[in-house]
Amino acid sequence: KAGVTQTPRYLIKTRGQQVTLSCSPISGHRSVSWYQQTPGQGLQFLFEYFSETQRNKGNFPGRFSGRQFSNSRSEMNVSTLELGDSALYLCASSFGDRNEQFFGPGTRLTVL
Amino acid sequence: AQSVTQPDIHITVSEGASLELRCNYSYGATPYLFWYVQSPGQGLQLLLKYFSGDTLVQGIKGFEAEFKRSQSSFNLRKPSVHWSDAAEYFCAVGASGTYKYIFGTGTRLKVLA
């Protein structure tokens, strides 16, 4: 079974631009979560989606948004990029409750 | 407040030596507990998980962890470390009905040949 895939793997943007990151969960998984990983703040939860509905949202500004499609694929968008948005963005999928999350390799975003 | 503490930022051990990585948590609900490992430039790989039941759980790559409710701890252990275990290890806590995990700050493991 293929794992969680994230595209693109690397991205370079400039301040003020916007970016969209994509995540394809493991086949059959209906839950997708997103995390931001930085050296200073560590791993921080962004959003959680289940069956196209956002169930939870972390403490991030409104510039960070996400959605999930009917095939469980998910995207997250960051508008008006800031230097501090440079991070590894990790997506994770899960089959259901009492099941662990499986993480993708991440998208490395660099904001110049 | 919900939190996960990994007191050791860096740990260095010799190959073949035993290993224990500490994790303490503060969580209002009955916690689900996890240990993940991350190699440079990679995502997170699950080592083991605890939901309920037997407090000693076995994971992949020879790792085990023990849940101690009275100490709010979930320490990771391995009897004999291999050079390939060098990586960063993260403890995480979650709960039923959510995939909002709270992660510790990680422990970077260095293995000496």
Side-chain angles (χ1 to χ4, degrees):
Chain A
K1 203 179 239 188
V4 177
T5 57
Q6 293 187 245
T7 55
R9 290 292 311 278
Y10 302 91
L11 208 47
I12 299 175
K13 292 285 187 180
T14 56
R15 279 180 297 174
Q17 288 186 309
Q18 76 163 20
V19 66
T20 299
L21 312 182
S22 180
C23 171
S24 293
I26 293 171
S27 177
H29 287 196
R30 295 166 62 191
S31 170
V32 172
S33 297
W34 289 87
Y35 292 81
Q36 181 196 64
Q37 185 177 24
T38 60
Q41 300 299 316
L43 280 151
Q44 293 186 288
F45 171 80
L46 280 157
F47 333 94
E48 171 194 344
Y49 289 90
F50 182 82
S51 294
E52 302 179 66
T53 300
Q54 187 180 89
R55 295 204 302 190
N56 250 313
K57 188 177 192 301
N59 189 26
F60 279 82
R63 300 186 295 107
F64 291 80
S65 62
R67 58 178 175 170
Q68 186 181 33
F69 301 96
S70 59
N71 62 358
S72 294
R73 192 176 69 84
S74 177
E75 288 181 349
M76 68 163 282
N77 185 77
V78 187
S79 62
T80 318
L81 284 165
E82 300 177 358
L83 295 179
D85 297 332
S86 294
L88 180 67
Y89 290 88
L90 293 165
C91 167
S93 75
S94 180
F95 177 73
D97 199 32
R98 292 179 67 85
N99 283 273
E100 65 271 24
Q101 295 186 76
F102 293 86
F103 283 81
T107 294
R108 172 76 61 185
L109 172 65
T110 301
V111 183
L112 302 176
Chain B
Q2 301 169 347
S3 65
V4 177
T5 301
Q6 293 181 246
D8 305 304
I9 298 174
H10 297 278
I11 281 186
T12 300
V13 299
S14 297
E15 192 171 19
S18 64
L19 173 70
E20 182 168 27
L21 303 183
R22 295 182 291 166
C23 173
N24 292 94
Y25 66 89
S26 173
Y27 204 75
T30 300
Y32 292 169
L33 295 158
F34 309 87
W35 276 99
Y36 283 87
V37 61
Q38 186 179 37
S39 298
Q42 303 296 314
L44 301 173
Q45 180 184 23
L46 179 73
L47 287 175
L48 45 76
K49 61 189 178 186
Y50 172 80
F51 291 140
S52 65
D54 193 349
T55 57
L56 184 64
V57 293
Q58 304 295 321
I60 62 171
K61 303 184 180 187
F63 286 93
E64 69 177 26
E66 186 171 12
F67 171 58
K68 293 186 178 180
R69 185 185 298 276
S70 61
Q71 297 177 21
S72 297
S73 70
F74 188 57
N75 294 347
L76 181 72
R77 299 193 294 248
K78 186 169 185 178
S80 178
V81 169
H82 188 262
W83 64 267
S84 60
D85 293 325
E88 190 155 20
Y89 292 79
F90 293 92
C91 179
V93 63
S96 175
T98 178
Y99 289 107
K100 180 182 178 181
Y101 288 2
I102 297 171
F103 282 86
T105 50
T107 298
R108 187 170 298 276
L109 174 65
K110 182 177 179 179
V111 180
L112 301 176

